[in-house]
Amino acid sequence: MALLSILRYPDPCLNKIAKPIASVDARIVQLVADMLETMYEAKGIGLAATQVDVHERLIVIDVSEERDQPLVLINPQLVWTSPATHINEEGCLSVPGIYDGVERFDAVHVQAQDARGVLRTIEADELLAVCIQHEMDHLMGKVFVEYLSPLKRNRIKKKMLKVQREDAL
Ligand code: K1U
Ligand code: ZN
């Protein structure tokens, strides 16, 4: 297994649209293992392949307290969304230290292949539903701060670029 490096906002590669995965082969099995290791090490509850600069439709998630219930979603598709929405506080491993509210569906049903390539339907609510919507946005090249006002987004962009310049010294 290997730790992967996570792209930082505003890297333009975060805005690439991911392509479908044609087959769950040994390369994808290895990528899943590496993404899970990277997500656990970064103490995240989710990670999209886009964030590790792989532009294919793959997400890993674990919202369990014990961090022992990994969920792998390959080629995820939203098949149902609840009529109700709520604003939830979100964070992102690609925008460290920034948290803000984003409106999301309260519940979603998602069809996706699992780590063995078997097609499943996941019925999600609460944090899992929020996390799935956040990660599926990554696959479409959208970072959560892009829902915020231009004023907030520009402040965040400046702050991130400053931190990255300081880190490079
Ligand atoms: O996509 C990512 O960068 C992972 C992200 C997922 C996420 C967190 C919160 C709401 C929606 C999606 C994170 O794991 S950020 C770090 C984190 O563990 C966290 C932050 C806020 C609430 C809960 C967890
Ligand atoms: Zn994110």
Side-chain angles (χ1 to χ4, degrees), residues 4-81:
L4 306 171
S5 108
I6 299 175
L7 296 174
R8 294 284 172 96
Y9 182 79
D11 190 317
C13 291
L14 285 167
N15 298 119
K16 289 188 184 178
I17 297 179
K19 295 201 164 69
I21 290 173
S23 82
V24 182
D25 55 17
R27 182 182 67 87
I28 297 299
V29 170
Q30 183 62 55
L31 179 59
V32 166
D34 292 346
M35 283 177 57
L36 281 168
E37 188 185 359
T38 304
M39 176 188 76
Y40 287 127
E41 201 274 337
K43 301 194 173 13
I45 56 168
L47 188 68
T50 307
Q51 293 175 277
V52 294
D53 212 10
V54 176
H55 301 283
E56 299 181 60
R57 291 185 61 81
L58 166 60
I59 291 168
V60 296
I61 290 177
D62 191 342
V63 295
S64 69
E65 287 282 328
E66 290 76 22
R67 315 284 285 149
D68 60 356
Q69 286 170 51
L71 195 59
V72 176
L73 305 183
I74 296 171
N75 298 324
Q77 300 286 351
L78 277 186
V79 292
W80 178 82
T81 57

Side-chain angles (χ1 to χ4, degrees), residues 51 91-94 134-135 138 144:
Q51 293 175 277
C92 182
L93 298 173
S94 294
H134 175 112
E135 302 307 335
H138 275 305
F144 86 104

